């Protein structure tokens, strides 16, 4: 059923899907364009990686306040202001002549625009659709997001290889203009707060807490800075504890909090967010390690990696839409369980296939099964999470949901990346010790000798003839270490799906009715 949005039934959904798509592909395009950015902007890889990290920090740190500003400005006005800022950022990034301009345009302006746009994408859907239409709309919302994350490397790799990374931002700008042209289809909500009612202390606390937590997560990628991680994450959690108490105090004294913490008493909302976050960790980790493996080990390009992920992306998209339709015959809880089981099965199928001889055909069956499961999960989890929340808490719920999903994405990339490094290193050490024992020499001596040959090979000198025995030893060590690292990564991904599965078992048998009297 459609509640509002003009004569074109799916006009609002079309606008929302365009907005979600450009926000999701943004980071994936940047990730595959790092080398080209370094060359064109005359900068370094760490600086580009820092810009990507700042974008993640801006998104996560300001998402709660971005959701609340809908109550101050009105949903449509907040979304369009965000879209305008995002468009200015996109144009600035496309014209970048150095890393500083890219930082301002992409990480800061696009990030600030996105924190106004993303929470509104969910509240527009809950205010426009209901019943099966709402389930379908949220299935599209999730499917577009997941497919965009997987499709980003294809688009980014193609544009970077054959044209320029700048065209990615130019295409986004065209989509931004199209969103603004079609914005007449969006309905406005009346502001329910004045600027003086905004919780300034809560805003500062949430920003500081989330900033520290996300910074700690991002530092997990750099082992040289691991000594700061516990301080940052621990301090961030402490600040968020103070934030929670402050919100409770404002509520009891009759003042309007930044987030009404009463929504956390809603079992479906809490469990739905738990499932969504854990699923995001698993999927983000998957999308991180697959390009790393295929580009660094097998030597294929970013564009070819994107094509490799295409079957999975198609499966996600089809089943995120089809799963929404299945909810008319099968309960959302049982669909979630089925999707998570398929996700576990796909991850388990992939765990043992990786090594120096891994081909692209080895990857496709397991990735498609995982994509089917993920699509089914995405078709249900957002609708289940938000449809159980009362109308007056819709903006709070949207802010919390999008903040937690952003944290899940950052966590997934960091955790799976750390597991990959640790177990590849452990695999190398274990294999060197085993080969040294067979050869009857100290492991340190063998490692030193092999490292010497690796250094010589990296010089590329044609006169250096590497003995076949050395090449065989290096190949065996690399194959074992890479296989061990990838196997443990997929064990972790399977475990995360399992945690989400356990959470889904505690969902109510029947979800709350999605019909609400929305005031728009």
């Amino acid at each position: 059923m459609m509640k509002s949005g003009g004569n074109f039934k799916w006009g609002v959904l079309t606008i929302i899907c365009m907005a979600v798509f450009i926000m999701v592909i943004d980071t994936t395009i940047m990730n595959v364009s790092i080398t080209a950015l370094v060359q064109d902007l005359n900068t370094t890889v760490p600086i580009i990686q820092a810009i990507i990290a700042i974008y993640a920090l801006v998104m996560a740190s300001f998402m709660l306040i971005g959701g609340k500003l809908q109550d101050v400005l009105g949903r449509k006005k907040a979304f369009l202001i965000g879209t305008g800022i995002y468009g200015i950022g996109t144009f600035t990034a496309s014209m970048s002549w150095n890393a500083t301009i890219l930082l301002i345009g992409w990480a800061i302006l696009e990030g600030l625009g996105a924190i106004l746009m993303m929470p509104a994408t969910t509240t527009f859907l809950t205010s426009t659709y209901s019943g099966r239409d709402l389930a379908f709309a949220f299935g599209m919302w999730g499917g577009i997001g997941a497919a965009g994350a997987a499709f980003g490397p294809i688009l980014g790799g193609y544009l970077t290889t054959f044209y320029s990374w700048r065209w990615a931002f130019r295409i986004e700008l065209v989509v931004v203009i199209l969103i603004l042209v079609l914005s007449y289809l969006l309905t406005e909500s009346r502001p329910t707060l004045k600027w003086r009612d905004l919780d300034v202390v809560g805003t500062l606390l949430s920003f500081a807490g989330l900033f520290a937590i996300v910074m700690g997560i991002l530092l997990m990628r750099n082992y040289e800075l691991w000594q700061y991680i516990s301080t940052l994450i621990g301090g961030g959690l402490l600040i968020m504890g103070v934030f929670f108490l402050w919100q409770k105090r404002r509520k009891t004294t009759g003042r309007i909090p930044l987030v009404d913490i009463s929504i956390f008493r809603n079992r479906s909302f809490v469990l739905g967010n738990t499932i969504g976050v854990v699923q995001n960790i698993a999927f983000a980790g998957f999308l991180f390690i697959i390009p790393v493996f295929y580009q660094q080990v097998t030597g294929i390009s970013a564009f070819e990696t994107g094509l490799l992920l295409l079957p999975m992306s198609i499966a996600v998209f089809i089943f995120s839409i089809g799963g929404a339709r299945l909810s008319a015959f099968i309960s959302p809880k049982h669909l979630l369980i089925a999707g998570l089981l398929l996700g576990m099965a796909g991850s388990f199928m992939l765990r043992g296939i990786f090594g120096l001889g891994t081909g692209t055909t080895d990857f496709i069956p397991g990735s498609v099964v995982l994509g089917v499961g993920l699509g089914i999960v995405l078709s249900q989890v957002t609708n289940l999470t938000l449809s159980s929340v009362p109308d007056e808490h819709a903006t709070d719920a949207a802010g919390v949901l999008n903040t937690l999903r952003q944290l899940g994405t950052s966590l997934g990339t960091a955790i799976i990346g750390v597991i990959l490094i640790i177990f590849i290193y452990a695999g190398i050490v274990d294999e060197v010790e085993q080969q040294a024992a067979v050869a009857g020499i100290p492991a340190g001596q063998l490692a030193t000798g092999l490292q010497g040959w690796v250094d010589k090979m990296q010089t590329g000198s044609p006169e250096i003839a590497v003995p076949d025995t050395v090449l065989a030893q290096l190949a065996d060590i690399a194959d074992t270490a890479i296989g061990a690292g990838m196997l443990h990564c997929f064990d972790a991904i399977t475990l995360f799906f399992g945690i989400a599965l356990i959470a889904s078992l505690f969902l109510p048998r029947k979800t709350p009715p999605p019909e609400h009297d929305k005031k728009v």
Side-chain angles (χ1 to χ4, degrees), residues 183-488:
S183 63
Y184 71 91
L185 294 170
L186 302 174
T187 54
E188 183 60 279
S189 62
R190 289 178 300 174
T192 57
L193 291 181
K194 297 186 182 297
W195 283 103
R196 64 174 179 269
D197 298 324
L198 205 59
D199 180 6
V200 177
V201 174
T203 298
L204 294 174
L205 286 171
S206 69
F207 169 77
L210 291 169
F211 183 93
I213 291 170
V214 176
M215 178 62 78
I217 292 169
L218 293 173
L219 291 186
M220 292 172 69
R221 304 176 189 178
N222 189 341
Y223 70 90
E224 295 177 351
L225 301 174
W226 280 7
Q227 67 266 31
Y228 303 112
I229 292 174
S230 59
T231 302
L232 283 167
I233 294 180
L237 290 173
L238 180 63
I239 294 171
M240 291 308 293
V242 175
F243 169 76
F244 182 87
L245 294 175
W246 175 255
Q247 298 306 290
K248 186 176 181 180
R249 179 183 175 185
R250 284 186 67 91
K251 180 77 172 176
T252 55
T253 56
R255 291 179 293 172
I256 299 172
L258 183 66
V259 176
D260 192 325
I261 59 175
S262 65
I263 61 176
F264 292 103
R265 298 176 192 153
N266 185 316
R267 182 165 59 148
S268 293
F269 179 75
V270 171
L271 289 173
N273 271 307
T274 301
I275 295 166
V277 169
V278 176
Q279 163 258 309
N280 251 34
I281 292 173
F283 188 49
F286 172 85
L287 288 179
F288 173 75
I289 58 171
I290 293 305
V292 168
F293 172 81
Y294 275 100
Q295 291 177 41
Q296 299 299 321
V297 177
T298 69
I300 67 175
S301 67
F303 178 59
E304 290 170 319
T305 304
L307 291 177
L308 179 68
L309 290 167
L310 187 59
M312 187 207 70
S313 305
I314 294 172
V316 169
F317 186 69
I318 290 174
F319 280 87
S320 64
I321 299 172
R325 295 305 189 192
L326 286 174
S327 61
F329 310 100
I330 305 172
S331 72
K333 176 177 179 177
H334 291 120
L335 281 172
L336 268 177
I337 291 172
L340 291 167
L341 286 171
L342 284 169
M344 292 178 69
S347 180
F348 187 80
M349 290 169 65
L350 291 168
R351 69 187 292 271
I353 71 168
F354 296 98
L356 296 181
T358 301
T360 55
T361 54
D362 301 318
F363 172 76
I364 292 175
S367 68
V368 169
V369 172
L370 190 149
V372 170
L374 187 66
I376 294 173
V377 172
L378 291 171
S379 72
Q380 305 300 318
V381 68
T382 306
N383 183 44
L384 184 147
T385 304
L386 295 182
S387 64
S388 62
V389 176
D391 300 350
E392 61 268 22
H393 299 322
T395 55
D396 292 349
V400 170
L401 180 139
N402 285 288
T403 299
L404 291 176
R405 298 290 171 87
Q406 188 67 32
L407 286 173
T409 299
S410 298
L411 268 173
T413 303
I415 291 174
I416 300 301
V418 168
I419 291 172
L420 182 64
I421 293 170
I422 289 174
F423 282 100
I424 283 181
Y425 177 77
I428 291 173
V429 172
D430 185 59
E431 186 65 14
V432 166
E433 289 177 349
Q434 289 184 28
Q435 292 203 23
V438 172
I441 60 175
Q445 181 180 335
L446 176 62
T448 301
L450 291 173
Q451 182 61 52
W453 280 111
V454 170
D455 293 340
K456 290 179 181 180
M457 291 164 64
Q458 289 177 339
T459 65
S461 301
E463 66 272 12
I464 295 176
V466 183
D468 291 341
T469 54
V470 172
L471 289 175
Q473 283 178 315
L474 289 173
D476 287 344
I477 291 171
D479 190 58
T480 301
I482 290 167
M486 294 296 286
L487 183 143
H488 284 91

